C-alpha cells in the first residue's frame, strides 16, 4: 500500500487540482491531505503590527475549514496543524511512513526556504508542481530570464496563448484517508493571538473564505449580475460589490483557480456576449501572472529597497507619519478614507491602493516596503508577488516604464470621487 501526503499550501481548493485529479482513482494508496498554519506568519513585524492580521487570518481559517468539509464529501479529510511545515511534515512522514509528498510550488524567499529545509529534513521524494498561474512557466513563449520587463510586451506575447488554457475536471472521489490521523480541533483567530475582526457594514462585500464562496462569487459577478459586461467602465469606482470582480481574496490563497475564471469568462463570451469589458478582465488577470513571473525572474530583489531596478530612493522614514498613514489620519481626506477602509475591512479598491501607495513613498517620503508590509498584514487578498510587485511599480523601482510618475491625490479624488460620497462613507465618525 502506497502512502502519500498532499500538502495544501496556497491552493486551498478541490476544483482544477492537477495532482489530486491524477490520484483520484489510484489503487492501493492511502492519501493524507495536510494543511499547516505556519507559525511564522503570525509573528509581530519590526513595525509592531502582526505579519498577518485578523482579517486575513479569519479568511484563511474559513478557507481551510471549507476545504476540510469538501474533502469529507469525497470520503477524505484534512489534517490541520500549526507549527513549522518543514518540521511538522518531517514528523508526519515518519509517523505515517509516507512514501512521497506532493505540494504546490511557491516562488518567493520565505516559502522557498521552507521547501529547502523540508528537502534537507527528509529523504522521501517531494514533488512540487506549478498551479497558480494561467500558463505554467514551461508554457511561456520565452524563458523566465527573457521575461519582458514591460507588461505590454508580456501581454502581447501571452494573449494569443490564452486559448490554450485548460482546467482539470471536477474530482469525484479520493483515495482513503488514514484513520489514525483524523482530528477535530477548531482554530480561530484567537489561536494565533489575534482578536476576532468585526464586520463593518460599509464593506464592499461580506468576504467569507473558502472555495464554495469563491465559486459563488464567480457565478454572481459573471452570470447572475452580469457585472462583467460593464467592468471596463466601472473598475475604477470605489463603493460596492459590483464595480470590480472581488475575486482577489479567493485567488490569493488558491481557493479559486485563475484558470477556472478564464474558462468561465470565455464561456460567457461565447454564450452571452463578448465586449471590451469581458476582454479587459482577462487582461487584468494577466497582471497577476506577470508579477508572479517577475518574482521568479528577480528573486529576493522584489523585497529590496532598490527593487528590480537596483535604484534605492532616499526616504525620510518618519515613523509617526507612517502611523498616521496606516491609521487613516494624514489629513488628506482621500488617502484617509482609503486607509480607513483598509483598516476596518481588510480590502481597498485598486484605485485606492495606487493613490495611498504613491502618497506614502512619493509624498511622505517613507520607504515603500513599510507600506507593503502593512498591506501584507491587512489585505485579505494579500498575494506576495502581486503586493510587492505593485508596490515596487508605484515606488518607481519596479516595472513602471515611467518610474517618476506621481499620483496627484487631490486630482484623483476629484475625478474618482467627484461627489465625495466615498470620503463621506469612510470619514463619518
Ligand atoms: C500597492 C498595491 C498593492 C496591491 N496588492 C495586491 C495584493 O496583495 N494582492 C492582489 O491580489 N492584488 C494586489 N493589488 C492589485 C489590485 O489592486 C487587486 O488585485 C484588485 O484591487 C483586487 O480587486 P478585484 O479582485 O475586484 O480586482 P478586479 O479589478 O476585478 O481584477 C480581477 C483580478 O485581476 C487581478 N489584478 C487586477 N489588477 C491587478 C494588479 N494591478 N496586479 C495584480 N493583479 C491584478 C487580480 O487577481 C484581480 O482579482 C495591489 C495593487 C496595488 C496598487
Amino acid at each position: 500500500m502506497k502512502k502519500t501526503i498532499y500538502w495544501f499550501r496556497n491552493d486551498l481548493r478541490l476544483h482544477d487540482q492537477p495532482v489530486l485529479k491524477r490520484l483520484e482513482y489510484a489503487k492501493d494508496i492511502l492519501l493524507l491531505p495536510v494543511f499547516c498554519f505556519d507559525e511564522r506568519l503570525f509573528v509581530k513585524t519590526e513595525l509592531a503590527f502582526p505579519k498577518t492580521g485578523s482579517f486575513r487570518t479569519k479568511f484563511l481559517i474559513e478557507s481551510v475549514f471549507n476545504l476540510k468539509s469538501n474533502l469529507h464529501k469525497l470520503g477524505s479529510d484534512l489534517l490541520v496543524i500549526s507549527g513549522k511545515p518543514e518540521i511538522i511534515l518531517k514528523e508526519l512522514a515518519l509517523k505515517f511512513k509516507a512514501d512521497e509528498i506532493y505540494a504546490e510550488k511557491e516562488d518567493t524567499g520565505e516559502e522557498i526556504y521552507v521547501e529547502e529545509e523540508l528537502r534537507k529534513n527528509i529523504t522521501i521524494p517531494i514533488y512540487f508542481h506549478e498551479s497558480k498561474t494561467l500558463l505554467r512557466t514551461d508554457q511561456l513563449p520565452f524563458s523566465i530570464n527573457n521575461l519582458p520587463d514591460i507588461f505590454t510586451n508580456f501581454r502581447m506575447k501571452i494573449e494569443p496563448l490564452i486559448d490554450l488554457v485548460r482546467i482539470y475536471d471536477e474530482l469525484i472521489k479520493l483515495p482513503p484517508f488514514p484513520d489514525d490521523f483524523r482530528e477535530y480541533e477548531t482554530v480561530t483567530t484567537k489561536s494565533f493571538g489575534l482578536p476576532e475582526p468585526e464586520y463593518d457594514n460599509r464593506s464592499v462585500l461580506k468576504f467569507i473564505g473558502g472555495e464554495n464562496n469563491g465559486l459563488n462569487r464567480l457565478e454572481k459577478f459573471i452570470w447572475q449580475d452580469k457585472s462583467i459586461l460593464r467592468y471596463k467602465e466601472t473598475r475604477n469606482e470605489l463603493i460596492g460589490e459590483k464595480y470590480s470582480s472581488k475575486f482577489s481574496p479567493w485567488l490569493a490563497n488558491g481557493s479559486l483557480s485563475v484558470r477556472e475564471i478564464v474558462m468561465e469568462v470565455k464561456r460567457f463570451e461565447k454564450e452571452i456576449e463578448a465586449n471590451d469589458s469581458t476582454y479587459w478582465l482577462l487582461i487584468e488577470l494577466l497582471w497577476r501572472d506577470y508579477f508572479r513571473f517577475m518574482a521568479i525572474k528577480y528573486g529576493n530583489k522584489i523585497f529590496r529597497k532598490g527593487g528590480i531596478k537596483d535604484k534605492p530612493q532616499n526616504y525620510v522614514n518618519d515613523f509617526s507619519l507612517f502611523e498616521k498613514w496606516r491609521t487613516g489620519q494624514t489629513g488628506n481626506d482621500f488617502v484617509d478614507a482609503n486607509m480607513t477602509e483598509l483598516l476596518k475591512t481588510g480590502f481597498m479598491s485598486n484605485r485606492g491602493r495606487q493613490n495611498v501607495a504613491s502618497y506614502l513613498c512619493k509624498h511622505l517620503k517613507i520607504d515603500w516596503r513599510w507600506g507593503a508590509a502593512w498591506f501584507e498584514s491587512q489585505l485579505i487578498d494579500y498575494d506576495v508577488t502581486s503586493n510587492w510587485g505593485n508596490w515596487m511599480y508605484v515606488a518607481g523601482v519596479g516595472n513602471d516604464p515611467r518610474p517618476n510618475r506621481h499620483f496627484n491625490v487631490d486630482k484623483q479624488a476629484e475625478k474618482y470621487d467627484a461627489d465625495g460620497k466615498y470620503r463621506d462613507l469612510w470619514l463619518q465618525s
Side-chain angles (χ1 to χ4, degrees):
M1 172 82 70
K2 196 170 204 179
K3 294 181 170 180
T4 300
I5 293 178
Y6 188 87
W7 171 30
F8 280 98
R9 303 176 85 190
N10 284 311
D11 58 337
L12 301 177
R13 63 174 185 273
L14 295 183
H15 67 278
D16 192 27
Q17 266 292 7
V19 171
L20 293 180
K21 191 65 198 165
R22 195 144 39 80
L23 296 177
E24 188 176 26
Y25 290 105
K27 295 247 157 48
D28 294 327
I29 167 175
L30 279 179
L31 177 67
L32 176 57
V34 179
F35 178 82
C36 181
F37 286 98
D38 190 329
E39 62 190 26
R40 287 162 294 207
L41 295 186
F42 304 98
V43 296
K44 270 223 164 99
T45 63
E46 286 169 5
L47 294 162
F49 47 75
K51 186 168 165 63
T52 308
S54 292
F55 285 107
R56 185 150 55 86
T57 302
K58 179 169 182 285
F59 191 83
L60 176 62
I61 294 169
E62 289 161 353
S63 307
V64 169
F65 282 91
N66 182 234
L67 176 66
K68 186 174 169 83
S69 121
N70 287 346
L71 280 161
H72 273 160
K73 290 179 196 146
L74 297 186
S76 184
D77 201 343
L78 181 68
L79 177 62
V80 180
I81 317 190
S82 303
K84 292 192 171 83
E86 66 274 26
I87 294 174
I88 282 175
L89 285 161
K90 175 192 167 186
E91 289 166 1
L92 268 183
L94 280 175
K95 193 170 161 205
F96 182 42
K97 297 194 176 60
D99 297 297
E100 57 188 9
I101 299 180
Y102 287 95
E104 188 188 50
K105 177 92 188 83
E106 291 284 349
D107 308 298
T108 41
E110 290 168 5
E111 293 76 10
I112 293 174
Y113 169 81
V114 172
E115 291 171 11
E116 286 171 353
E117 288 301 297
L118 182 60
R119 278 203 195 282
K120 280 189 215 155
N121 284 351
I122 53 181
T123 50
I124 57 170
I126 312 170
Y127 303 105
F128 290 106
H129 61 278
E130 285 181 43
S131 162
K132 287 184 190 309
T133 45
L134 218 44
L135 298 173
R136 296 184 311 269
T137 46
D138 64 352
Q139 294 174 305
L140 296 176
F142 37 73
S143 70
I144 277 290
N145 287 341
N146 291 322
L147 173 71
D149 282 340
I150 294 181
F151 173 74
T152 312
N153 300 342
F154 164 79
R155 171 172 74 81
M156 278 162 32
K157 291 194 166 130
I158 296 298
E159 264 188 70
L161 304 178
I162 292 183
D163 286 334
L164 297 182
V165 171
R166 295 284 173 274
I167 50 169
Y168 293 85
D169 291 342
E170 199 183 322
L171 285 165
I172 310 292
K173 65 186 276 293
L174 278 174
F177 182 90
D179 280 332
D180 294 353
F181 292 87
R182 287 201 195 271
E183 48 78 47
Y184 298 92
E185 208 184 316
T186 45
V187 180
T188 67
T189 51
K190 293 200 178 88
S191 316
F192 305 106
L194 295 164
E196 183 73 7
E198 270 176 40
Y199 171 67
D200 188 310
N201 62 16
R202 294 169 292 179
S203 298
V204 286
L205 191 70
K206 189 159 192 182
F207 290 103
I208 301 175
E211 77 171 317
N212 294 8
N213 288 306
L215 291 168
N216 288 344
R217 177 66 199 160
L218 181 63
E219 168 77 17
K220 187 148 198 305
F221 184 76
I222 295 184
W223 296 97
Q224 284 176 25
D225 295 347
K226 298 192 175 52
S227 306
I228 189 174
L229 286 172
R230 295 198 55 240
Y231 171 72
K232 195 166 179 218
E233 294 95 71
T234 58
R235 56 184 280 274
N236 283 309
E237 291 177 13
L238 306 165
I239 302 176
E241 74 166 277
K242 291 193 175 169
Y243 69 82
S244 68
S245 72
K246 316 294 185 303
F247 294 155
S248 55
W250 291 282
L251 275 170
N253 69 22
S255 42
L256 188 56
S257 152
V258 67
R259 291 179 297 270
E260 181 82 26
I261 298 175
V262 168
M263 296 301 277
E264 284 302 292
V265 175
K266 289 274 167 200
R267 188 160 74 85
F268 182 89
E269 287 184 326
K270 214 165 139 205
E271 293 177 15
I272 309 286
E273 185 179 340
N275 66 12
D276 280 358
S277 285
T278 56
Y279 167 75
W280 210 257
L281 186 69
L282 296 175
I283 299 305
E284 289 301 322
L285 285 165
L286 289 185
W287 273 105
R288 176 178 171 274
D289 276 24
Y290 184 59
F291 286 125
R292 172 76 35 192
F293 296 138
M294 267 296 150
I296 301 176
K297 177 174 176 182
Y298 285 104
N300 282 337
K301 278 190 176 178
I302 68 164
F303 303 113
R304 300 209 182 115
K305 188 151 94 172
I308 60 169
K309 285 199 165 33
D310 274 331
K311 280 204 177 128
Q313 321 279 318
N314 287 325
Y315 296 112
V316 180
N317 287 351
D318 180 329
F319 187 70
S320 67
L321 273 185
F322 173 71
E323 281 300 285
K324 286 189 175 151
W325 175 83
R326 191 176 72 80
T327 54
Q329 298 178 67
T330 63
N332 179 295
D333 57 2
F334 192 53
V335 171
D336 290 350
N338 277 289
M339 294 307 292
T340 306
E341 181 184 5
L342 178 63
L343 188 69
K344 303 265 183 193
T345 71
F347 191 82
M348 188 198 294
S349 69
N350 184 56
R351 181 56 44 188
R353 294 180 202 200
Q354 290 174 323
N355 274 280
V356 300
S358 173
Y359 190 82
L360 181 81
C361 52
K362 300 216 161 143
H363 182 78
L364 298 179
K365 304 260 182 253
I366 291 175
D367 190 335
W368 63 274
R369 295 172 306 168
W370 291 17
W374 174 238
F375 272 31
E376 173 170 351
S377 175
Q378 197 66 8
L379 279 176
I380 52 168
D381 67 13
Y382 170 69
D383 170 294
V384 54
T385 61
S386 287
N387 188 55
W388 292 79
N390 272 291
W391 269 97
M392 276 195 305
Y393 189 102
V394 176
V397 296
N399 303 98
D400 190 349
R402 291 192 290 138
N404 297 324
R405 203 193 306 245
H406 189 146
F407 277 76
N408 181 329
V409 174
D410 295 327
K411 274 204 177 144
Q412 291 268 313
E414 267 170 44
K415 184 166 175 191
Y416 296 105
D417 185 33
D419 54 10
K421 264 197 190 146
Y422 176 74
R423 279 163 289 176
D424 286 348
L425 181 68
W426 288 104
L427 298 178
Q428 76 198 11
S429 49

